[in-house]
Amino acid sequence: MASATSPLSFLISHPQSSKPIPSLPLLKRSRLHCTSSSTTAVSAKHHRRPAEENIRQEALRLHPDCDSKYSAWYEPFPLNEEDPKEKYSLDEVVYRSKSGGLLDVKHDMEALGQRSGSYWRELFDSRVGHTAWPYGSGVWSKKEFVLPCISSDEIVSLFEGNSNLFWAERLGKEHLDGMPDLWVKHCGISHTGSFKDLGMTVLVSQVNRLMKQPMGRSIIGVGCASTGDTSAALSAYCAAAGIPAIVFLPADRISIAQLIQPVSNGATVLSLDTDFDGCMRLIREVTAELPIYLANSLNSLRLEGQKTAAIEILQQFDWEVPDWVIVPGGNLGNIYAFYKGFEMCRALGLVDRVPRLVCAQATNANPLYRYYKSGWKEFNPITAETTFASAIQIGDPVSIDRAVFALKATNGIVEEATEEELMDAMSLADRTGMFACPHTGVALAALFKLRASNVIGVNDRTVVVSTAHGLKFAQSKVDYHSGTIADMACRYKNPPISVKANFGAIMDALKKSLNNGKI
């Protein structure tokens, strides 16, 4: 392994060095691949850091201060025309602009632009697959594009991100007219089973910074309203940092798998007799009175982590831009986060364009879809109805303006899916080897519709974003395959076959199944 003073280690730890960074193949060649006992002895003798030093301490020693070349801050979204200079330090506890609008994290693009697009591509690629703190994380491997001035010692990471982008070969081949370039970005392959980890590492890291270096009022914990996945991510990262977490959940509206995660991680969980929008109103009231930091997507810090999934997609395609990216939409921060990631790479020369974005909503919770179909004339919040895609069961999304901006900027589309459409799409995808969540089913159903109308061409490179792991929503699959969902045909149900424990009965069952083409 490379020593702490080798050129390679220096370049990884000091990205602003004027020396060229090595390519990914050179990085790989520098590592020992032999597994013999002699190699083990050599590795132990020439350790990359002192034996008494952990990787966080090593990172602090190698780069103790932030690089003052790069900076980030909050600005109103959209920009306040009456006060264009309104902005706030990231070290301030602030969620809204003076006018009550949203805030957005802005980066010093001029400073970042002093480096070429090829420099950033090679730097980010050189960090993939390594454990150097904090670059083993898919989020923090892009630290300069996320929170450039946070100390490595303040970062709270579970080495999130780096999720797989897999080729959905059979789904495209057999069910989408032979579509050869269909991909699924599985953001649910993460510590708590959803894409929310990408944003929560950034938010909790910044809270950790504020608590270590008190600026203004003290912080006694971090709180969120949640439909499930946000609470899981928040509780895990707070537990890792030793920070109290407070969670407001709508009673009886999330899966057991989602509920047990914050409970297991030691969060204070309040189950409230209201929906998500009601929980959101209450958590905002509470955080206005108590020194509890608000962790919902109203807080734009989370979007800085979520945007790295877009950059990962570009990396995984060797920096070629896909034609379409389809994202499930609930509170609508994620569609804007994907836009931010793609656009930042375009603006800094890493790529030459951005993909078209599609936001997919459940028909039972579709305020953005209705707004889109009206020609963006007037937005009206709705009371979201129950949907199997429970994490996007939101009728008054906080990030509505952000989402509209992203869709307009990318010539994007909004599509919807009924309960039967999303469950059928999820189950059909499962039959081709996936194990999708209902929210991914919404995005897949949108793809089927847009492919059927030829809006998405058969040869278009298309990425469907899977936001959570199917295991978190196992009950919905049980209900589907048992055929017990009211008013739903469950076309692709596949219940277990009850068979007597004898050879003849088993053979009859197998022959019948084979003749029906099930196996």
Side-chain angles (χ1 to χ4, degrees):
M1 299 177 71
S3 69
T5 57
S6 72
L8 179 59
S9 294
F10 177 83
L11 287 165
I12 293 175
S13 303
H14 297 74
Q16 309 316 320
S17 169
S18 60
K19 298 179 182 180
I21 65 170
S23 64
L24 186 57
L26 177 59
L27 186 65
K28 287 182 176 178
R29 286 199 297 273
S30 72
R31 304 180 71 185
L32 290 172
H33 296 283
C34 180
T35 57
S36 68
S37 58
S38 61
T39 300
T40 303
V42 170
S43 298
K45 182 178 180 181
H46 299 286
H47 203 272
R48 69 193 296 268
R49 61 179 178 272
E52 68 276 6
E53 183 180 62
N54 64 38
I55 61 172
R56 185 187 292 274
Q57 292 165 335
E58 177 191 48
L60 189 63
R61 171 172 57 81
L62 291 174
H63 40 97
D65 300 313
C66 78
D67 193 319
S68 59
K69 290 180 182 177
Y70 307 130
S71 60
W73 58 89
Y74 295 120
E75 277 186 9
F77 181 92
L79 191 66
N80 185 350
E81 295 181 359
E82 295 182 0
D83 185 6
K85 294 184 178 180
E86 182 185 355
K87 67 179 188 177
Y88 307 89
S89 165
L90 297 185
D91 289 333
E92 293 185 61
V93 179
V94 56
Y95 311 115
R96 293 280 193 179
S97 67
K98 292 177 182 177
S99 64
L102 297 173
L103 295 174
D104 198 15
V105 175
K106 294 291 184 180
H107 290 260
D108 187 342
M109 297 294 282
E110 183 177 351
L112 291 169
Q114 295 300 307
R115 296 290 193 182
S116 67
S118 61
Y119 170 85
W120 293 117
R121 289 195 301 268
E122 291 177 17
L123 176 65
F124 295 160
D125 285 347
S126 76
R127 293 168 172 171
V128 174
H130 292 264
T131 58
W133 184 267
Y135 303 131
S137 159
V139 173
W140 296 107
S141 64
K142 291 97 177 158
K143 180 175 182 288
E144 295 82 359
F145 284 19
V146 179
L147 289 186
C149 275
I150 193 169
S151 166
S152 294
D153 191 48
E154 296 162 339
I155 289 173
V156 181
S157 174
L158 299 170
F159 278 18
E160 53 289 312
N162 294 319
S163 59
N164 60 315
L165 177 67
F166 67 85
W167 182 32
E169 179 184 13
R170 188 178 165 206
L171 185 65
K173 185 177 183 179
E174 297 184 11
H175 303 292
L176 286 157
D177 306 315
M179 197 173 187
D181 215 353
L182 174 62
W183 301 79
V184 175
K185 177 63 171 171
H186 203 335
C187 293
I189 302 295
S190 192
H191 183 68
T192 71
S194 89
F195 78 97
K196 299 294 178 71
D197 293 352
L198 302 177
M200 208 57 75
T201 180
V202 177
L203 184 141
V204 175
S205 293
Q206 180 63 14
V207 172
N208 192 42
R209 170 183 169 85
L210 295 177
M211 294 180 77
K212 284 187 173 185
Q213 304 172 8
M215 302 173 189
R217 65 176 182 170
S218 62
I219 296 172
I220 61 171
V222 188
C224 76
S226 178
T227 50
D229 291 334
T230 299
S231 64
L234 175 65
S235 59
Y237 282 86
C238 282
I243 297 172
I246 301 95
V247 173
F248 287 15
L249 295 175
D252 303 321
R253 302 194 188 199
I254 67 171
S255 71
I256 293 297
Q258 291 172 302
L259 172 63
I260 200 60
Q261 286 182 286
V263 170
S264 299
N265 285 133
T268 298
V269 179
L270 303 184
S271 181
L272 305 178
D273 185 20
T274 183
D275 58 10
F276 169 79
D277 296 314
C279 289
M280 188 68 224
R281 286 190 294 271
L282 289 165
I283 193 71
R284 288 172 64 180
E285 290 177 19
V286 168
T287 54
E289 294 296 324
L290 295 176
I292 297 172
Y293 196 88
L294 181 62
N296 280 96
S297 57
L298 172 68
N299 189 313
S300 55
L301 284 170
R302 282 174 48 191
L303 305 186
E304 295 306 291
Q306 289 166 212
K307 77 183 182 188
T308 62
I311 304 175
E312 277 187 14
I313 288 172
L314 297 175
Q315 283 183 285
Q316 289 165 317
F317 283 135
D318 293 326
W319 300 99
E320 293 181 358
V321 181
D323 299 303
W324 297 90
V325 175
I326 306 174
V327 185
N331 224 8
L332 302 180
N334 209 26
I335 190 76
Y336 180 65
F338 270 84
Y339 165 74
K340 285 196 77 175
F342 288 127
E343 173 57 21
M344 194 169 188
C345 288
R346 185 207 64 78
L348 292 171
L350 285 75
V351 294
D352 60 0
R353 65 185 180 91
V354 299
R356 292 185 69 182
L357 297 180
V358 177
C359 189
Q361 291 204 298
T363 300
N364 285 1
N366 65 349
L368 179 67
Y369 177 76
R370 298 183 188 199
Y371 191 16
Y372 171 75
K373 296 301 285 186
S374 75
W376 304 122
K377 291 179 182 177
E378 185 178 3
F379 173 72
N380 293 304
I382 65 171
T383 299
E385 298 178 33
T386 301
T387 171
F388 282 103
S390 57
I392 57 175
Q393 186 180 320
I394 298 169
D396 190 9
V398 169
S399 293
I400 179 68
D401 293 335
R402 291 170 173 153
V404 173
F405 183 90
L407 290 162
K408 288 182 176 180
T410 61
N411 190 24
I413 293 172
V414 187
E415 188 52 86
E416 67 172 353
T418 66
E419 294 302 288
E420 187 156 15
E421 287 170 340
L422 73 89
M423 292 296 286
D424 281 346
M426 175 190 74
S427 302
L428 185 61
D430 287 353
R431 281 187 167 237
T432 67
M434 299 185 211
F435 196 67
C437 66
H439 317 85
T440 306
V442 175
L444 289 167
L447 168 63
F448 290 141
K449 289 184 174 183
L450 294 172
R451 179 70 205 95
S453 61
N454 209 35
V455 172
I456 293 179
V458 68
N459 292 312
D460 289 352
R461 174 171 284 179
T462 303
V463 178
V464 174
V465 176
S466 178
T467 54
H469 201 290
L471 284 172
K472 299 183 80 170
F473 303 92
Q475 187 59 51
S476 67
K477 294 177 182 290
V478 170
D479 293 342
Y480 183 92
H481 288 289
S482 63
T484 58
I485 302 174
D487 302 318
M488 189 176 293
C490 303
R491 294 170 59 203
Y492 304 107
K493 66 178 180 288
N494 183 32
I497 303 169
S498 296
V499 185
K500 290 184 178 180
N502 66 69
F503 178 80
I506 291 172
M507 289 298 291
D508 288 343
L510 290 177
K511 287 177 182 178
K512 182 178 180 181
S513 183
L514 286 166
N515 289 334
N516 289 337
K518 289 182 67 176
I519 58 175

